[in-house]
Amino acid sequence: MNNFLSYVYLYPLLKSNQTIAILGNDPLMGAWDATKAIALNKIKGEQFFEISLDLQAADFPLVYKYGVYDIVAKKLIEFEEGNNRMVNEPV
């Protein structure tokens, strides 16, 4: 069973000092502590961001959201709108 989750996210409206971050219920995803949001990496030359998380020790289901993260101030600025996202079991 593979417990690595990979995300690719498109967000073309960010400022140069911003990236996308992920934050969720499990300690491996920050345990909803905004100071522990995990920044995604921008794919060079693209408008896409990516992250690969080793979630072998995670407790499923995982509940999470994406947000905008200021890489200069090192803080989460805002969450995406709408309901939380969920992964019910390892894939």
Side-chain angles (χ1 to χ4, degrees), residues 6-10 40 43 48-51 66:
S6 295
Y7 298 92
V8 177
Y9 197 78
L10 170 65
L40 279 69
I43 300 172
F48 293 94
F49 296 80
E50 65 182 351
I51 191 167
Y66 290 108

Side-chain angles (χ1 to χ4, degrees), residues 14-22 34 37-42 49 67-78:
L14 294 174
K15 297 176 183 172
S16 62
N17 64 318
Q18 296 175 338
T19 189
I20 298 297
I22 191 169
I38 304 167
L40 279 69
N41 301 306
K42 187 169 190 303
F49 296 80
V68 177
Y69 185 83
D70 185 315
I71 57 178
V72 175
K74 298 186 179 182
K75 69 176 191 173
L76 193 65
I77 298 170
E78 64 181 327

Side-chain angles (χ1 to χ4, degrees), residues 1-5 7 55-62 86-91:
M1 184 178 309
N2 181 356
N3 286 354
F4 288 86
L5 292 180
Y7 298 92
L55 300 173
Q56 294 181 49
D59 290 322
F60 287 83
L62 296 176
M86 183 180 289
V87 177
N88 289 311
E89 59 188 52
V91 288

